Amino acid sequence: MIHLTMRQLRYFDALARLGHFGRAAEACAISQPALSMQIKEMEDALGGVLLERNARQVVLTRFGEQLAERVREILRSVDELGDFARASRDKLTGRLRLGMIPTVAPYLLPKVIGDLTRKHPEIDIHVRESKTPKLIEELVEGRLDAAIVALPVSEPSLTEVALFSENFLLVRPPEYEGTAVPNSESLREMRLLLLEEGHCFRDQALSFCNMQAPREMLDASSLSTLVQMVGAGMGVTLIPEMAVGVETRSASVSLARFAEPQPQRSIGMVWRKTSPLAKQLMQISEIVGGAAESLRKQAAAGQGRKRRS
Amino acid sequence: MIHLTMRQLRYFDALARLGHFGRAAEACAISQPALSMQIKEMEDALGGVLLERNARQVVLTRFGEQLAERVREILRSVDELGDFARASRDKLTGRLRLGMIPTVAPYLLPKVIGDLTRKHPEIDIHVRESKTPKLIEELVEGRLDAAIVALPVSEPSLTEVALFSENFLLVRPPEYEGTAVPNSESLREMRLLLLEEGHCFRDQALSFCNMQAPREMLDASSLSTLVQMVGAGMGVTLIPEMAVGVETRSASVSLARFAEPQPQRSIGMVWRKTSPLAKQLMQISEIVGGAAESLRKQAAAGQGRKRRS
DNA sequence: CATGTTCATCAGATAATCTTATCGTTACGA
DNA sequence: TCGTAACGATAAGATTATCTGATGAACATG
């Protein structure tokens, strides 16, 4: 009977992912020889070579590759035992690995973290900010517990719940203040600034304007940059309503709301259907939704003041 | 991050199965304190009680029960890594855990083991003899690699291949020698001796006679006993053709073949569809089929001699 | 009330695993 | 062609995890 240890599986998984003994060892918080030894023992136990140590690089054998897949799956199940235990105790405690897209995180996160830690002091929130495809991948692979992204995600293995919808507002240089708001047609004639590729918000903005490809390569890496560029007179842009408060406070730009139907997107939370934390995540999604709601109210009050001043 | 070891999972699995610290420890080939400690550490790591230690017995908590299920699944996957490794090397080596029903095993086994070890000297055959339901259960749970049973099994997770068909012969007290062979109708009027409940061969015999329930409680626990009972004049019985050579050699009974269509059953081999040993098992099934074939030829020759003498 | 069974606890022994230091190989630039 | 740097393998000693055997505590049973 073959005797594999969890260590061997974890070390091998890290090595398979990173393809480098030193870095894998670092990731496992051990020294490189320790990892080498465990991998060797694993190869002896299984009676097959897992990876080819070519000079300059390490590459999985076909056998190693297939094994790595199985091992990943096993480790995922093992890690879920911990989640399952937590869920069984039926309290919101322990680690929560939450992903969030960059066009939501900066605005929603402070409030969400505040609310969550206030209501559940024992919770240990780890946030990762990435674009949707990466978040979904990490979620499916069990390296995240949940993610907040724009819906729909349409990944059959995930549960998605809607949190809120947010409108897009037009940001123009200050001299436009008071002029008519263009519709999506005329917007196509203007110089529209966008986020760089991969951001879902870029696609959502393009889709509203019915545009295929941008005419110029002037993509920004954050909404903040985008607004600064508008302030510098380089063009116009759209930003989600939630970003208004933070991003336009210190910039000299003009904000305008589109005519109905306003462009908008739906933000939701997703998690693995099989996650043992499902019940807890549903609770958390309600807290996040509440946080968004209160942010919206706060923003409305702020806008009111601004207009009056 | 929770840190469970494979040991803890294996010990817990044994404990969950056996419900007894001492016996589980024995099964794991360790002392009882060692097991107690690992279970305790596991409970600490998971932050929940896995089993209630009532005096006189150990009982899984609800949490423990659910966890045990997941752990079993994980261990199955881990053990399959070894099988997968063997399969990848694409040779027939290592442990082969083979189940067989009691009405086949004694007659087929010697030949099969001989043939298998001759063709694949590196193979290490472990045979378990049980009735079909238990074999199927153990197979599905990964505690057997393959089983030889009567078809059909109709378990969607299993692959089944037919090995051979065998006729049933009538066994009567010696004074019947030469008298007409009854058909299935008139068989119902005779005193039919059967194996005890749970043997598939019992059901197959009953089904041929179109009978529902036996009239008397005279069930035997083996074909050998059954033939002895017939020899003692207690009634008549059916036995599968393969058992004829061994079981009627030393008994004074009369053997008779039924008219066509003779009653018969199909014997086959089954294994998990997901088994990494699938290719090897297919090879093995061919060897087993060949063994059965050669046994049949040998029996025919023997019968020929008998008739002549 | 004595006894046997069962699981928990403890101390010392044993085995598994890690770290540090070092080696051998290979790639690459002077 | 040689020196250097990067990388993984190996070895020796230290550390940590795990095991055994003895013993204790709780409880049921005759």
Side-chain angles (χ1 to χ4, degrees):
Chain A
M1 169 68 131
I2 281 179
H3 205 337
L4 294 171
T5 68
M6 206 66 83
R7 274 197 170 100
Q8 286 164 355
L9 300 192
R10 291 206 186 278
Y11 292 178
F12 173 60
D13 180 48
L15 181 54
R17 281 182 193 286
L18 298 172
H20 188 288
F21 277 74
R23 279 191 276 284
E26 190 182 9
C28 297
I30 53 164
S31 65
Q32 170 262 317
L35 189 128
S36 282
M37 279 195 299
Q38 291 297 330
I39 297 297
K40 191 166 135 57
E41 288 205 358
M42 197 167 159
E43 287 182 325
D44 289 349
L46 291 168
V49 180
L50 293 169
L51 2 87
E52 301 263 334
R53 288 83 156 166
N54 299 323
R56 276 292 172 231
Q57 67 173 349
V58 166
V59 96
L60 285 173
T61 61
R62 211 182 107 63
F63 169 49
E65 202 156 342
Q66 295 176 307
L67 203 81
E69 221 170 294
R70 290 165 173 267
V71 167
R72 239 194 288 286
E73 190 56 37
I74 289 173
L75 291 177
R76 211 164 70 73
S77 303
V78 172
D79 290 343
E80 278 193 353
L81 292 183
D83 298 347
F84 174 71
R86 279 222 312 280
S88 293
R89 275 178 278 151
D90 232 355
K91 298 181 297 186
L92 242 50
T93 71
R95 179 196 60 180
L96 174 73
R97 297 166 303 178
L98 183 63
M100 229 182 252
I101 53 175
T103 49
V104 168
Y107 321 106
L108 190 56
L109 206 47
K111 178 74 176 153
V112 163
I113 289 189
D115 285 4
L116 272 180
T117 51
R118 196 166 332 109
K119 292 191 190 165
H120 301 283
E122 339 75 323
I123 212 165
D124 174 23
I125 308 175
H126 294 228
V127 176
R128 169 154 326 141
E129 186 184 302
S130 290
K131 293 163 199 163
T132 306
K134 183 161 180 96
L135 289 179
I136 299 304
E137 181 195 324
E138 298 211 349
L139 194 51
V140 169
E141 287 186 16
R143 300 210 298 282
L144 280 178
D145 298 308
I148 291 174
V149 298
L151 301 183
V153 171
S154 307
E155 174 69 35
S157 66
L158 300 181
T159 299
E160 44 188 86
V161 302
L163 295 173
F164 58 89
S165 286
E166 57 176 0
N167 294 320
F168 301 165
L169 300 190
L170 179 63
V171 185
R172 297 181 289 186
E175 58 267 25
Y176 284 80
E177 182 72 47
T179 65
V181 178
N183 59 16
S184 65
E185 292 287 331
S186 50
L187 204 55
R188 277 152 81 174
E189 307 308 318
M190 308 178 72
R191 189 165 182 180
L192 182 63
L193 303 174
L194 292 167
L195 286 181
E196 60 196 10
E197 235 168 345
H199 286 276
C200 58
F201 183 67
R202 170 197 174 93
D203 305 325
Q204 289 147 5
L206 281 173
S207 145
F208 168 62
C209 307
N210 247 314
M211 286 164 55
Q212 291 299 332
R215 288 152 300 185
E216 293 148 38
M217 301 300 285
L218 271 174
D219 303 333
S221 67
S222 72
L223 294 178
S224 189
T225 310
L226 225 40
V227 173
Q228 296 306 320
M229 288 164 74
V230 172
M234 298 171 66
V236 306
T237 193
L238 305 184
I239 62 172
E241 199 161 5
M242 184 167 281
V244 166
V246 175
E247 299 301 355
T248 66
R249 185 153 300 158
S250 61
S252 55
V253 294
S254 158
L255 264 181
R257 193 174 287 277
F258 287 99
E260 296 290 347
Q262 294 188 45
Q264 59 170 36
R265 65 175 179 177
S266 168
I267 300 297
M269 190 162 137
V270 295
W271 57 82
R272 262 167 285 123
K273 280 195 174 126
T274 61
S275 170
L277 295 172
K279 208 159 68 181
Q280 281 75 357
L281 290 171
M282 190 58 85
Q283 252 182 285
I284 286 171
S285 76
E286 280 165 21
I287 294 174
V288 175
E293 176 64 21
S294 87
L295 274 184
R296 194 192 334 281
K297 278 189 188 141
Q298 192 181 314
Q303 288 235 342
R305 267 203 310 286
K306 212 173 189 179
R307 216 170 280 146
R308 259 180 265 115
S309 74
Chain B
M1 170 67 132
I2 281 180
H3 204 347
L4 293 172
T5 68
M6 206 64 84
R7 247 171 244 235
Q8 286 164 354
L9 300 192
R10 290 205 187 278
Y11 292 177
F12 173 60
D13 180 49
L15 181 54
R17 281 183 194 286
L18 299 172
H20 187 288
F21 278 73
R23 280 191 275 284
E26 191 182 8
C28 297
I30 53 164
S31 66
Q32 170 263 316
L35 189 128
S36 283
M37 279 194 299
Q38 292 295 331
I39 297 297
K40 191 165 133 57
E41 288 206 358
M42 198 168 158
E43 287 183 325
D44 289 349
L46 291 169
V49 180
L50 293 169
L51 359 87
E52 300 264 334
R53 286 85 156 167
N54 299 323
R56 275 293 173 233
Q57 68 172 347
V58 167
V59 104
L60 286 173
T61 60
R62 213 183 110 61
F63 169 49
E65 202 156 341
Q66 294 176 307
L67 203 80
E69 221 170 291
R70 290 165 173 267
V71 167
R72 241 193 289 286
E73 189 57 36
I74 289 172
L75 291 177
R76 211 164 70 72
S77 304
V78 171
D79 290 343
E80 279 193 355
L81 292 182
D83 297 347
F84 174 70
R86 278 220 314 280
S88 293
R89 275 178 277 152
D90 230 354
K91 297 182 297 190
L92 240 50
T93 72
R95 178 197 61 180
L96 174 73
R97 298 165 303 178
L98 184 63
M100 228 181 252
I101 53 175
T103 49
V104 168
Y107 321 106
L108 190 56
L109 205 47
K111 178 74 174 154
V112 163
I113 289 188
D115 286 5
L116 271 180
T117 51
R118 197 165 333 107
K119 291 190 191 164
H120 302 281
E122 342 73 323
I123 213 165
D124 174 24
I125 308 177
H126 294 228
V127 176
R128 169 151 328 138
E129 187 184 302
S130 290
K131 293 163 198 164
T132 306
K134 183 160 178 95
L135 289 180
I136 298 304
E137 181 195 323
E138 298 211 349
L139 194 51
V140 169
E141 288 185 15
R143 300 211 297 282
L144 281 178
D145 297 309
I148 291 174
V149 297
L151 301 183
V153 171
S154 307
E155 174 69 34
S157 66
L158 300 181
T159 299
E160 44 188 86
V161 302
L163 295 173
F164 57 90
S165 285
E166 56 175 1
N167 294 321
F168 301 165
L169 300 190
L170 180 62
V171 187
R172 295 182 290 186
E175 59 266 28
Y176 283 80
E177 182 71 50
T179 65
V181 177
N183 58 16
S184 66
E185 291 287 330
S186 49
L187 205 53
R188 276 152 80 173
E189 308 307 318
M190 308 178 71
R191 190 164 180 179
L192 183 62
L193 303 174
L194 292 167
L195 287 181
E196 58 196 14
E197 237 169 342
H199 286 277
C200 57
F201 183 66
R202 170 197 173 93
D203 305 324
Q204 288 146 6
L206 280 174
S207 143
F208 168 63
C209 307
N210 246 314
M211 286 165 53
Q212 290 300 332
R215 288 152 300 183
E216 293 148 39
M217 302 298 285
L218 272 173
D219 303 332
S221 67
S222 72
L223 293 178
S224 189
T225 310
L226 224 41
V227 173
Q228 295 307 320
M229 287 164 75
V230 172
M234 298 172 65
V236 307
T237 193
L238 305 183
I239 62 173
E241 198 161 8
M242 184 166 281
V244 166
V246 175
E247 298 301 352
T248 66
R249 184 153 301 158
S250 61
S252 57
V253 294
S254 157
L255 262 181
R257 194 174 286 277
F258 287 98
E260 296 289 349
Q262 294 187 48
Q264 60 170 31
R265 65 174 179 178
S266 169
I267 300 295
M269 191 162 137
V270 295
W271 57 81
R272 261 168 285 122
K273 281 196 173 122
T274 61
S275 171
L277 296 172
K279 208 158 70 183
Q280 282 76 357
L281 291 171
M282 189 59 85
Q283 253 182 285
I284 286 170
S285 75
E286 280 165 21
I287 294 173
V288 175
E293 176 64 21
S294 87
L295 274 184
R296 193 191 337 280
K297 277 190 185 137
Q298 190 181 315
Q303 287 236 343
R305 267 203 311 287
K306 214 173 188 178
R307 216 171 281 145
R308 260 181 264 114
S309 73

